[in-house]
Every structure is written in C-alpha cells, then in structure tokens.
Amino acid sequence: MDLRKWRVLRAIVDDYIQTAEPVGSRTVARKYGLEVSAATIRNEMADLEDMGYLEQPHTSAGRVPSDKGYRFYVDTLLCGTEPMAADAEAVRQVLAFKAARLDQLVRQAAHLLSEATDFLAVATQPGGGGERLAGLQVVPLHGSEAVVVLVGDDGRARTKVIRFAHSPSARDLEQIGRALSERLRGQPLRALAGGRLGALAAELGQFREVIDRVKELLAEPDAGPERVVVDGATNLLKQPEFREVASAQRVLQALERDRLLGEMLGLPLPRLNGLEVAIGREIPLEEMADCSLVTAVYAAPGGVMGRIGVLGPRRMDYTRVMRLVEGVAGAVTKALGEDTGPERGGPGLDAPPKRSADRRDRGER
Amino acid sequence: MDLRKWRVLRAIVDDYIQTAEPVGSRTVARKYGLEVSAATIRNEMADLEDMGYLEQPHTSAGRVPSDKGYRFYVDTLLCGTEPMAADAEAVRQVLAFKAARLDQLVRQAAHLLSEATDFLAVATQPGGGGERLAGLQVVPLHGSEAVVVLVGDDGRARTKVIRFAHSPSARDLEQIGRALSERLRGQPLRALAGGRLGALAAELGQFREVIDRVKELLAEPDAGPERVVVDGATNLLKQPEFREVASAQRVLQALERDRLLGEMLGLPLPRLNGLEVAIGREIPLEEMADCSLVTAVYAAPGGVMGRIGVLGPRRMDYTRVMRLVEGVAGAVTKALGEDTGPERGGPGLDAPPKRSADRRDRGER
DNA sequence: TGTTAGCACTCTCATCTATCGAGTGCTAAC
DNA sequence: GTTAGCACTCGATAGATGAGAGTGCTAACA
C-alpha cells in the first residue's frame, strides 16, 4: 500500500461517511487534493478493491469501504490526532452532572452520548456482583413477610420479599440482619453466592430461612438495576442505512432479545484497554453486520467498572465518535475518582484510559 | 343507525382488522351474511361515511373505519361477550409466575402481553410515593460516605449516597436510622416529602444532614425503579402501518421522549374503572393518532396500583386484545391478592375490576 | 319506497419501456 | 507511469399503459 493508495482510501472513506453514497473516481479526483486524473484514481481503486479494502455495490457504481477498509482507516488515520480535542461540550456536561450513584452517572453519560452522536448509546454497569456488601437488613412488612435488603458499596440495593412460616418479631429480624451483616460485610456479592454463605448456614442454623433467600436473591440475574443501559434506540431509525424497517428491526430486536451485546461488552477484552472499535462483522452478532460499535472503559479508583459507547451505522464519523466516547468515558472515570473524595490517595485512574497501541494487529475477519 | 348499518359497520371493521386493506362493498356483500346486494351496501356505506363512521382513503378505494367507527364498534360489539373466555394461556403464565415483588410481576406481565399481542406493552408501577415506609437505614461505606436506604412496603428500596462533613461512627449511623425508622414507619413516602420530615428536622436537629438527604431522595423523580415499564417496542415495527420508518419513529420517539404516556396512564381516569380503550386521537398525543391504547387497572388489596396494557395500531383485534389485557390485569391483581397471604381478611379485589358500563357516553371529540 | 342491476368513471398499482447519467474498464497515446 | 477517450454496464427515473377494484348514479323492479 503506497502513499497514494492510502490517500485514495482515506478520501473514499471520508466522502462516504459524509454522503452515504458510493463514491466514484471522479469525485475523489475533484474534491480531494490528489494531483492526478480520474483515470489514475480508477486504477488505484481497482487495486484497492483487489486488496479487499473497497467493495462495489454493483458494476457501475462507485466504491464503498469494506470492513477491512474502515479498519485500516481507523487504525492509521487517527493516530497523532489529539484525542480529547473537540466535543468538549458533552464531556463538560458529564462532569457537571453531580450523581452520587454510579448507575445514575452512567445513565446520564449514555444519554449525552446518544444525543451528541444521534446513535444508540450503550453501557454496562458492574453490578455483576463485583460490588462488596456494605450492609444487610431484614425489614419487617405486614404479618409474616419481610424484605431482605442487600446494600452494595456502590450505593445500590437489591431486595427480595420473603415469607416466614412463623411470624418473627421485629427484634429477631433486626438481630438476624445485624448478625449476617457483621459477618459478611466487605465480601464481594459474587463471592457470597458461593461458599461463604453455605458455611454460615451451617454455623447459624436458625437463620437458614433467611440465608436461603439471600442465596436466591444473589442468583437472580437482574436483581439489581438493569446491568446494561441502552439509550436513544430510536436514533438508529434516523440513519439512512435503516430506511427500511426490516434492517432496523433486525438490529433493534437483536438488542432487545439477548442482551448478548452486554455480555460482549462485559468481557474483559484481553490486551485492549480503553477505546475499542468493532466494525461490521467484527461484532460477533450476525444482525450487526452493518453497524459499528465504539466503546471505552470507565473505571473507579478500585478498578475497571464497565464499558460505555455507541452503536451506529458502520458508516460513521469515526474521528468524532471515537473522541467523544473516549472523552465521555474519561469524564465518567474522573467523576468517579472525585466522588470518593480527596482522602482516597494513590494515583488512581483519573486520567482517561490510554489508547492501546496494538489495536491494529487483531484478526481481520 | 339501523340494524343493517350496524352490521355493515361491523363487517367493515372486522374485515379491515383482518386484512389491513380498505374494504369494498362487494367484499361486505359476499363474505358477511348480509342478504342484500353490493349496491345496497354501497348506499349504506355512503350513509355511514356521512355519519362519520367511515373514511375513504381515496375516491375509488374501499372504506376504512374512522376513530368514531372503531369507537362504536368497541362500545357496542363487545357487550355480552364473556370477557375472560379465551387467551387463558398468557393469564395462566402470569398466575404461574411467582414474583414476590410487585415490579417484577408487572414487568413479567407486560412481557407476556407484548408477546401475546405482538404490540408494545406498557405498564405503570405505583412508585409515585404511594407505598409506605417499611424501614430506613443508613449504611456506612468508606470514609465519610454512607447510603441512605428507604425500604417501601412493596419490597422495593430507594437509595442515595450521602457524604458527611465529619466521619460519623457506624453506631451513630445505626441510631440515626433506627430513630428515623421508628418515627416514620408506616407513612406513605409521598407524605414524607411534605411536612412530616420538616417537623422531624426541627425536633432532631442533629440528624438534619440525613433528613435533608432523605428529602432530596424523595424528590428525585425516578429514584425508585423505573415507574413506566415498556416492553416489546420493536414489535411495532412488525405492523404494516409502520412499514415506513418515519411513522414508526414518530411513535417510538414520542414514547421515549416524554414519558407522557406514563403520565396519562397514571391519571386516575374519572369514572372509568377497569378496562379502558383509547382510539386514535383519543390518545392525547399527536404522534399516536394511528394507534390505540388498551389498558386496565390492576390492584392490590390496598387499592389500585397502576395500569397495564398495550399500545398497537388503531387497526387491532379489539375483542382479543381487550380480553387479554383484562385477563392479564386481573391475573396480576389476583397474584397480588394471594401474595399477601390468606390471613389478610376482607373482600379485597381478587376479582378483576368490573368493566365500566358508561364507557360509551364519553365525548366523541 | 326500498332494492337491485348495469354502467361509466375514477383512481391506484404494477408493469413495461425509454432515457439519462454516473461510473467503470480498457486501449492507445503521451 | 499517467492520461484522455470511448464503449459499455447498470441503476434510477419518468412516462405510458393496462388491469383491477371500487364508487356513484341512473333506471328498472317489487
């Protein structure tokens, strides 16, 4: 790939991003400062197509970037640009939004992302049980019913209603809560689901009833607030690539059906820190072949919390979107860092996560 | 409106519901056992159009029911049919679903409704502060932070992270919680937001910091789990009336933007108990002119809890949908009644809410 | 007076055709 | 290696046409 091919590819991607129309040799020659004629461009384009960077919708139309073409564009074109430059507005708003609770902050950040990009914003919250138990109470309701409340150190609570065979006194319930609370505080919820609780059940036979219910509560997949946040789903309908309902429906339904996307976002991607771009079929969901997913991790001083980003048509302004996502994720991270207060100490993760340098050497497929 | 007109109107609505195509005089004469010729039907149809029950998309197409036509159909055609007859399956599933918590039950019911109808299901949860305080705790986190947890008698919890100027001891926090809990237990959360808390603040000066935060928490609009549940939004894209994105987008965006629909559902409709059908422009949202909304209230022994129903194209099988919605709402009510256990006493609301008899005499607009 | 048959008319929709234009690939000249 | 020219392809667009469905009206009929 020589320099001129590179410039042609870049011109085509840029133009296609802008117009959503296949771009021809003439346009490239005219609008982008290549100092050669259309015929020359044509030759280059034919080569680029052979190499797999371009595709032709039909014989006599212009060229369109392929997944590989976008990938190359994203990997090479953006290095060197200052990441946090523009789009300070959305970032500023995230920082200005004072939310003490992680889920509210993330929700707000996702909302801003979807507004700023006109795409669908998506984010994962930890909630997978990684948070630690801050407290456990058993609150009496009417009669023989009570509520078990697990409070995590992220400030969120999970609850479950339980019914006793007998009607225990409020004092009893309080004691149960206190006893369990003292013994389990500080444990990650996920760990509780496993052995720790079982051991306790043996030790404190009388509390078995409650302990069993707590186990059930922990086993419930979405016991906490929704783990995957989606915002601005209807934005996708604005995009020209989804002009016909069928295609839009496929994507939206895939998103609604399995929250598989969440699974994917949740996976700790091996060597990829920070900003991540998945283009077309790089997304492991057949229905998303025409989409791209741009995400970044956000973190609290304790470590990585989740991912936040946007899902849009494959033809998107990667420069802008990547900056925006990186900026917003960084702002969330920053907000989480500040929230813990200055006494926290340690370097933490206030700086936005570094962009991985080896993004390029992943498989093409 | 004589008997024959009535039968013609019914035939047209039935046929249009089934085919989604404007229906002509010939079809009516042939397929529906009217013993007159197409020409006669034509005359009747012209009359019905004059009276406002039918509309003509263009000069030489069949007729389509107007809002008024649907309204008449719904009001007259359905009286006498056994409401809970068919569609027992979805109802059975609601009853089989053992959810101790109201919000889970409602969510599940909405999901079943959307699956059964292929429309969008929508439901409101009380959460507007009507639930009573079952307990209040202040759970310490790290450093000077703590979580205020309000547990409602519906088994749900609201939380807010607060930060103290000083770092209070765990004992102090526990005491604060206990003190507030004892004084406020049993109060509706909505009432707390008003005077009751203010009075307490004066009485217990030292707790002012916490009390203020509790006030803030109560003021947050969606501090609890989402108040309006929506399920199966993409189902709408399946409907032929939303074949072009623009129309679908209008509706979905209206739904996403303002949760105004929730507002509307939340309004205690004056004399209308139980099942409620809003057709086309009867829905006070311009964007929903091509939709109909069928909802029913569900209740717990304590009283009405909310509404649940579906939003679909105006051309829907009202008989089936109304039965289904009524059945599911009834099942939810029943489940809520049983959940409280047999010791509850009193007649309660186990039976599904009665269908209002005076649905007909509302303005035509 | 209500009902029916017949008929001319209207309007949409699908199909077909011709045309236009953008864009390509190839060849030959520079 | 680059460029100009040219024939060719193919999709999109615009009319033209015909079929079909449905109506409204009129006149005949019970």
Side-chain angles (χ1 to χ4, degrees):
Chain A
M1 157 107 41
D2 59 14
L3 178 64
R4 195 168 63 190
K5 280 194 178 52
W6 186 90
R7 294 179 69 187
V8 170
L9 176 57
R10 175 188 170 122
I12 290 175
V13 175
D14 279 341
D15 201 74
Y16 186 63
I17 283 173
Q18 204 189 326
T19 65
E21 299 285 323
V23 14
S25 54
R26 211 199 183 126
T27 314
V28 175
R30 231 185 316 123
K31 280 176 47 180
Y32 300 83
L34 295 255
E35 303 280 304
V36 292
S37 78
T40 308
I41 305 286
R42 273 204 287 283
N43 291 331
E44 299 287 30
M45 281 163 81
D47 288 351
L48 283 168
E49 186 172 356
D50 286 343
M51 296 160 74
Y53 293 106
L54 296 179
E55 282 166 1
Q56 215 171 2
H58 50 266
T59 327
S60 87
R63 303 304 212 289
V64 162
S66 67
D67 281 1
K68 191 176 169 187
Y70 281 120
R71 165 58 51 198
F72 194 84
Y73 176 88
V74 167
D75 286 346
T76 65
L77 260 33
L78 262 40
C79 53
T81 59
E82 181 50 42
M84 303 282 293
D87 280 315
E89 177 56 19
V91 174
R92 209 183 47 69
Q93 284 194 45
V94 171
L95 287 175
F97 182 75
K98 284 288 165 221
R101 244 171 52 198
L102 174 68
D103 55 327
Q104 292 164 338
L105 181 66
V106 169
R107 210 177 298 261
Q108 172 71 3
H111 184 65
L112 289 170
L113 261 185
S114 90
E115 293 236 308
T117 58
D118 255 10
F119 299 147
L120 183 154
V122 64
T124 58
Q125 293 174 30
E131 73 269 33
R132 291 166 186 278
L133 187 75
L136 185 159
Q137 284 88 32
V138 187
V139 178
L141 291 179
H142 356 262
S144 59
E145 285 186 341
V147 192
V148 186
V149 183
L150 298 188
V151 183
D153 65 353
D154 56 351
R156 290 188 294 174
R158 305 177 175 202
T159 67
K160 189 175 179 73
V161 176
I162 69 178
R163 192 178 305 167
F164 294 94
H166 58 288
S167 288
S169 74
R171 277 205 65 76
D172 285 350
L173 292 180
E174 199 174 317
Q175 272 191 356
I176 295 178
R178 197 198 319 263
L180 288 178
S181 207
E182 270 165 18
R183 264 160 242 250
L184 299 175
R185 196 184 339 254
Q187 303 280 329
L189 294 195
R190 198 180 312 140
L192 284 186
R196 195 79 182 85
L197 261 182
L200 254 184
E203 184 185 343
L204 307 170
Q206 60 197 109
F207 298 162
R208 175 176 296 273
E209 217 166 350
V210 176
I211 292 176
D212 284 351
R213 256 8 109 89
V214 171
K215 264 188 185 165
E216 280 175 37
L217 173 52
L218 288 170
E220 285 175 18
D222 54 0
E226 207 63 64
R227 228 172 64 75
V228 178
V229 176
V230 170
D231 194 300
T234 55
N235 278 353
L236 284 189
L237 295 178
K238 292 180 192 167
Q239 306 304 324
E241 16 272 295
F242 298 113
R243 221 167 325 170
E244 49 212 314
V245 271
S247 54
Q249 203 190 341
R250 274 222 318 281
V251 172
L252 289 178
Q253 233 157 22
L255 209 71
E256 195 173 79
R257 181 167 17 97
D258 18 40
R259 296 261 146 159
L260 197 89
L261 191 65
E263 303 281 318
M264 179 199 156
L265 290 170
L267 285 178
L269 298 161
R271 53 171 177 226
L272 291 168
N273 263 341
L275 199 59
E276 168 76 2
V277 181
I279 297 167
R281 295 191 182 281
E282 291 174 10
I283 306 176
L285 266 184
E286 184 53 39
E287 293 90 337
M288 307 279 177
D290 291 326
C291 300
S292 282
L293 181 66
V294 179
T295 59
V297 298
Y298 64 92
V304 169
M305 290 280 109
R307 301 197 144 260
I308 183 167
V310 301
L311 179 76
R314 209 167 44 148
R315 175 196 66 79
M316 65 164 71
D317 184 343
Y318 288 96
T319 316
R320 192 173 108 79
V321 170
M322 286 167 72
R323 276 185 192 164
L324 201 52
V325 169
E326 192 167 44
V328 168
V332 170
T333 297
K334 198 163 177 185
L336 290 176
E338 280 169 358
D339 250 17
T340 322
E343 84 282 7
R344 165 177 53 80
L349 281 167
D350 271 357
K354 287 290 173 291
R355 206 186 268 169
S356 79
D358 57 351
R359 202 180 315 128
R360 179 206 229 124
D361 60 353
R362 62 215 307 262
E364 227 61 78
R365 69 142 308 180
Chain B
M1 158 103 44
D2 59 13
L3 178 64
R4 196 168 63 190
K5 280 195 178 52
W6 185 88
R7 294 179 68 187
V8 170
L9 177 57
R10 176 191 168 118
I12 290 175
V13 175
D14 280 339
D15 201 76
Y16 186 63
I17 283 173
Q18 206 188 324
T19 65
E21 299 287 320
V23 16
S25 56
R26 214 206 183 112
T27 314
V28 175
R30 232 186 315 122
K31 281 175 49 179
Y32 300 83
L34 294 256
E35 303 280 304
V36 290
S37 77
T40 309
I41 305 288
R42 273 204 287 283
N43 291 332
E44 299 288 30
M45 282 164 79
D47 287 352
L48 283 169
E49 186 172 356
D50 286 344
M51 295 160 73
Y53 293 106
L54 296 179
E55 283 165 2
Q56 216 170 0
H58 51 265
T59 328
S60 88
R63 302 305 212 288
V64 161
S66 66
D67 280 0
K68 190 176 170 187
Y70 281 119
R71 166 58 53 199
F72 195 83
Y73 175 91
V74 167
D75 285 348
T76 65
L77 261 32
L78 262 39
C79 54
T81 59
E82 180 50 42
M84 303 283 292
D87 281 314
E89 176 55 20
V91 174
R92 208 182 49 67
Q93 284 194 44
V94 172
L95 287 174
F97 182 74
K98 284 290 164 220
R101 245 170 53 198
L102 174 68
D103 56 327
Q104 291 164 338
L105 182 66
V106 168
R107 208 177 299 260
Q108 170 72 1
H111 184 66
L112 289 170
L113 261 185
S114 90
E115 292 237 307
T117 57
D118 256 10
F119 300 147
L120 183 154
V122 64
T124 58
Q125 293 174 30
E131 72 269 33
R132 290 164 188 281
L133 187 75
L136 185 157
Q137 284 88 32
V138 187
V139 178
L141 291 179
H142 355 261
S144 59
E145 286 186 340
V147 192
V148 186
V149 183
L150 298 187
V151 182
D153 65 353
D154 56 351
R156 290 188 293 176
R158 305 176 176 203
T159 67
K160 188 175 181 74
V161 176
I162 68 180
R163 191 179 306 168
F164 293 94
H166 58 287
S167 287
S169 74
R171 277 206 65 78
D172 284 352
L173 293 180
E174 199 173 319
Q175 271 192 358
I176 295 177
R178 198 198 318 263
L180 289 178
S181 207
E182 269 165 19
R183 264 161 243 248
L184 300 175
R185 198 188 333 259
Q187 303 279 331
L189 294 196
R190 197 179 315 142
L192 285 188
R196 196 80 181 82
L197 261 184
L200 255 184
E203 184 184 342
L204 307 169
Q206 58 195 114
F207 299 162
R208 175 176 296 275
E209 215 165 352
V210 176
I211 291 175
D212 283 350
R213 255 10 108 88
V214 171
K215 263 188 186 165
E216 279 175 36
L217 173 53
L218 289 169
E220 285 176 18
D222 55 359
E226 208 62 65
R227 229 171 64 76
V228 178
V229 176
V230 171
D231 194 301
T234 55
N235 278 353
L236 283 189
L237 296 178
K238 292 180 190 166
Q239 306 303 325
E241 18 272 295
F242 297 114
R243 221 165 328 174
E244 49 213 313
V245 271
S247 54
Q249 203 192 339
R250 274 223 320 281
V251 172
L252 290 178
Q253 231 157 23
L255 210 70
E256 195 172 78
R257 181 166 18 99
D258 17 38
R259 294 261 146 158
L260 197 88
L261 191 65
E263 302 281 319
M264 179 198 156
L265 289 169
L267 286 178
L269 301 160
R271 53 170 179 230
L272 291 168
N273 262 339
L275 200 58
E276 168 76 4
V277 182
I279 297 168
R281 295 191 181 281
E282 290 174 12
I283 306 176
L285 266 184
E286 185 54 39
E287 293 91 339
M288 306 279 177
D290 290 326
C291 300
S292 282
L293 181 67
V294 179
T295 59
V297 298
Y298 63 92
V304 169
M305 290 279 110
R307 302 197 143 260
I308 184 168
V310 301
L311 179 76
R314 208 167 46 147
R315 174 196 66 80
M316 65 165 71
D317 183 345
Y318 288 96
T319 316
R320 192 174 108 79
V321 170
M322 286 168 74
R323 276 184 191 164
L324 201 53
V325 169
E326 192 167 43
V328 168
V332 170
T333 297
K334 198 163 177 184
L336 291 177
E338 280 168 359
D339 249 18
T340 323
E343 84 283 4
R344 164 177 52 81
L349 283 167
D350 273 358
K354 288 289 173 293
R355 207 185 266 169
S356 78
D358 57 351
R359 202 179 318 127
R360 182 204 227 123
D361 60 353
R362 63 217 307 265
E364 224 65 74
R365 77 140 319 174

